[in-house]
Amino acid sequence: MSEPIDTFVGIEPRLIVDQGVAARVAAIVEPVLEGLGFRLVRVRISGMAGCTVQIMAERPDGTMTIEDCESVSRALSPVLDVADPIDRAYHLEVSSPGMDRPLVRRSDFERYAGNQIRVEMSVAVDGRRRFRGYLLGVEGDGARIRRDDAMPDEPAEVLLRIEDMAEAKVVLSEAQIAASLRRAKAQQRDEATDGTTQTNGAASAHPDGERTPGDDRQAAQNEGD
């Protein structure tokens, strides 16, 4: 994966936004996050094993530590309790975007040029909604992708309007997944040696926004009503 380039200036608006109930949650939490110096990435609501509301967030430089996740969770929990956007009991989960992060801002597409991404469009382009390939960069209001899923009679490159995307996400290679697993195992060995753990009650996370396959992707979890 190419190294990100720090180009963040201020709070940049998201071009790919949440829908439905997730959008209501986003409208509540985004001002709180910005007040704390963080940026909202995405909101995910899952019904598996009960209802989980996942808030992906980061600092303007793209980092998100365990302590950041815990402090954000403590700030958001009472706000969501009062606003009550979910009509059932839920778990609140605050996390970093992770290595296979969603791309939601123009600067995300600029910073991760050279990486393989997967895109799902809300508006079909030449009869297709799903694209996969290497992100070449940003041109105007679109992202140019060199496709690795193109049929022989289709163009190898496509320019997709960012605001017409329903989702865009970095795709990890097998080598990147293996390297991430090795780092996780090394971290576990270090923690076992010094008697510490990354888990603190109902709060856990991976520093610098990294998560590994099999990870529950939880950074700070509280019970919501």
Side-chain angles (χ1 to χ4, degrees), residues 160-180:
L160 303 175
R161 188 169 184 264
I162 297 173
E163 290 189 70
D164 289 340
M165 297 178 184
E167 184 174 35
K169 193 173 185 180
V170 173
V171 176
L172 299 182
S173 68
E174 291 184 4
Q176 290 164 344
I177 292 173
S180 180

Side-chain angles (χ1 to χ4, degrees), residues 177-197:
I177 292 173
S180 180
L181 285 171
R182 287 194 297 271
R183 286 195 297 270
K185 289 179 180 179
Q187 182 178 350
Q188 289 173 355
R189 287 195 299 270
D190 292 342
E191 291 168 357
T193 300
D194 64 17
T196 62
T197 177

Side-chain angles (χ1 to χ4, degrees), residues 13-212:
R14 295 185 300 156
L15 300 180
I16 303 175
V17 296
D18 310 289
Q19 303 297 322
V21 177
R24 295 206 299 270
V25 174
I28 295 166
V29 304
E30 193 158 23
V32 178
L33 288 169
E34 291 182 2
L36 295 171
F38 298 94
R39 307 192 315 175
L40 177 64
V41 178
R42 291 305 296 262
V43 174
R44 303 283 191 207
I45 299 177
S46 171
M48 296 183 64
C51 181
T52 298
V53 177
Q54 182 189 19
I55 309 295
M56 292 186 188
E58 63 187 1
R59 289 187 178 276
D61 64 0
T63 62
M64 192 72 173
T65 67
I66 299 168
E67 292 76 15
D68 290 339
C69 292
E70 292 172 349
S71 65
V72 167
S73 181
R74 288 192 296 268
L76 291 182
S77 185
V79 175
L80 289 171
D81 285 346
V82 172
D84 198 22
I86 309 295
D87 60 0
R88 52 180 166 155
Y90 63 90
H91 292 286
L92 173 63
E93 180 179 297
V94 178
S95 74
S96 65
M99 292 177 64
D100 55 344
R101 61 165 298 135
L103 307 177
V104 298
R105 294 176 168 87
R106 179 187 175 90
S107 62
D108 292 340
F109 288 87
E110 294 171 342
R111 295 171 71 224
Y112 288 90
N115 289 281
Q116 190 177 37
I117 68 170
R118 183 174 63 248
V119 175
E120 182 167 351
M121 303 297 294
S122 57
V123 178
V125 176
D126 296 330
R128 293 179 61 102
R129 288 183 180 271
R130 295 180 179 176
F131 297 85
R132 179 180 172 127
Y134 287 90
L135 176 59
L136 300 179
V138 177
E139 299 178 17
D141 61 356
R144 182 167 294 279
I145 299 172
R146 185 174 70 244
R147 296 174 56 190
D148 57 18
D149 62 351
M151 301 298 289
D153 59 343
E154 293 180 327
E157 294 185 11
V158 63
L159 184 64
L160 303 175
R161 188 169 184 264
I162 297 173
E163 290 189 70
D164 289 340
M165 297 178 184
E167 184 174 35
K169 193 173 185 180
V170 173
V171 176
L172 299 182
S173 68
E174 291 184 4
Q176 290 164 344
I177 292 173
S180 180
L181 285 171
R182 287 194 297 271
R183 286 195 297 270
K185 289 179 180 179
Q187 182 178 350
Q188 289 173 355
R189 287 195 299 270
D190 292 342
E191 291 168 357
T193 300
D194 64 17
T196 62
T197 177
Q198 291 288 348
T199 302
N200 179 14
S204 62
H206 292 277
D208 301 326
E210 291 195 7
R211 296 176 301 194
T212 58

